[in-house]
Amino acid sequence: QSVLTQPPSVSGTPGQRVTISCSGSSSNIGSCPVNWYQHLPGTAPKLLIYNNNERPSGVPDRFSGSKSGTSGSLAISGLQSEDEADYYCAAWDDSLNGHWVFGGGTKLTVL
Amino acid sequence: QLQLQESGPGLVKPSETLSLTCTVSGGSISSSSHYWDWIRQSPGKGLEWIGSIYYRGGTYYNPSLKSRVTISVDTSMNQFSLKLTSVTAADTAIYYCARDPISSGWHDSFDIWGQGTMVTVFS
């Protein structure tokens, strides 16, 4: 059971906008920024969003993040077939001397 | 461009110790702006953070693994290492090392990852 809760799967058609939620608690998302990672099979995970809504250089602006209270959200607009991947949220957790926590991951299927 | 590369045995026997090393190239591990982390993914499961180390040796560990994990750093070799004791089949996973920038005094993200190395616990 992951500390952060994500839906197991989401789907959309090319061009659509999809969102993935990430629910946490006061000790993690409620007090620290949330990050998002894209993970394609056989490759290393890639940082998509950090500090709730900032994109590293090279990440398309189709990807955006937000945070409200103890929940974060990743939005992908203009869905493309290459966006089909697993997406993970993560946040630092202040409890127990501090540690990183991940969501269980969301499989995005582009129909 | 900074790169990370994991290395170590791909097979470990149950009850033994898993040992991996991450070599940092294209940059220094002795950075005051970064932690260095280990993360794993078991087959069919999600990402699990194992622990972090600062170049001066300060560490943070996953509470659920803390009793079995030791992360160390060798600044002269620009490497950091993972030891996981008393392994079982549940420790079979792809193990990644990653860079963890410090922002406003806190762990920020995992911005650079190694390619990962598969470790199988198998008798």
Side-chain angles (χ1 to χ4, degrees):
Chain A
Q1 197 79 345
S2 301
V3 173
L4 304 182
T5 301
Q6 298 179 235
S9 64
V10 298
S11 63
T13 56
Q16 263 191 332
R17 181 178 185 271
V18 297
T19 61
I20 300 172
S21 61
C22 176
S23 178
S25 67
S26 59
S27 64
N28 42 66
I29 295 178
S31 51
C32 298
V34 61
N35 305 319
W36 291 91
Y37 300 88
Q38 179 189 59
H39 194 196
L40 295 161
T43 68
K46 172 186 175 183
L47 178 64
L48 273 185
I49 298 288
Y50 67 100
N51 196 24
N52 302 320
N53 55 19
E54 298 193 51
R55 283 186 307 276
S57 174
V59 173
D61 59 7
R62 302 188 296 106
F63 296 90
S64 62
S66 63
K67 182 178 109 168
S68 178
T70 58
S71 292
S73 182
L74 173 71
I76 309 172
S77 60
L79 203 59
Q80 299 178 4
S81 57
E82 56 261 40
D83 298 333
E84 187 162 294
D86 295 321
Y87 292 83
Y88 293 89
C89 59
W92 184 255
D93 191 301
D94 280 345
S95 67
L96 301 173
N97 295 317
H99 57 285
W100 279 105
V101 291
F102 279 100
T106 299
K107 171 67 178 178
L108 169 62
T109 301
V110 181
L111 301 170
Chain B
Q1 179 180 348
L2 188 134
Q3 293 184 318
L4 305 176
Q5 179 67 60
E6 306 88 350
S7 59
L11 286 176
V12 182
K13 293 182 178 179
S15 79
E16 295 192 343
T17 297
L18 179 159
S19 297
L20 296 174
T21 295
C22 181
T23 300
V24 179
S25 59
S28 175
I29 202 170
S30 300
S31 164
S32 60
S33 300
H34 300 96
Y35 285 92
W36 305 92
D37 293 55
W38 288 99
I39 298 151
R40 70 181 183 180
Q41 183 179 33
S42 300
K45 296 192 176 181
L47 299 173
E48 180 181 31
W49 176 75
I50 300 170
S52 298
I53 192 163
Y54 190 59
Y55 78 99
R56 290 181 175 173
T59 54
Y60 294 87
Y61 294 131
N62 185 323
S64 67
L65 297 171
K66 186 174 183 177
S67 63
R68 299 194 293 129
V69 172
T70 301
I71 297 176
S72 58
V73 64
D74 184 338
T75 55
S76 67
M77 296 292 290
N78 227 30
Q79 295 174 334
F80 63 107
S81 298
L82 167 69
K83 290 190 186 300
L84 181 65
T85 62
S86 305
V87 298
T88 69
D91 296 308
T92 293
I94 299 173
Y95 286 77
Y96 297 97
C97 56
R99 190 179 77 168
D100 177 356
I102 300 170
S103 177
S104 302
W106 289 103
H107 297 252
D108 179 78
S109 62
F110 307 113
D111 66 343
I112 299 175
W113 297 65
Q115 65 184 24
T117 187
M118 181 69 201
V119 178
T120 302
V121 178
F122 180 60
S123 58

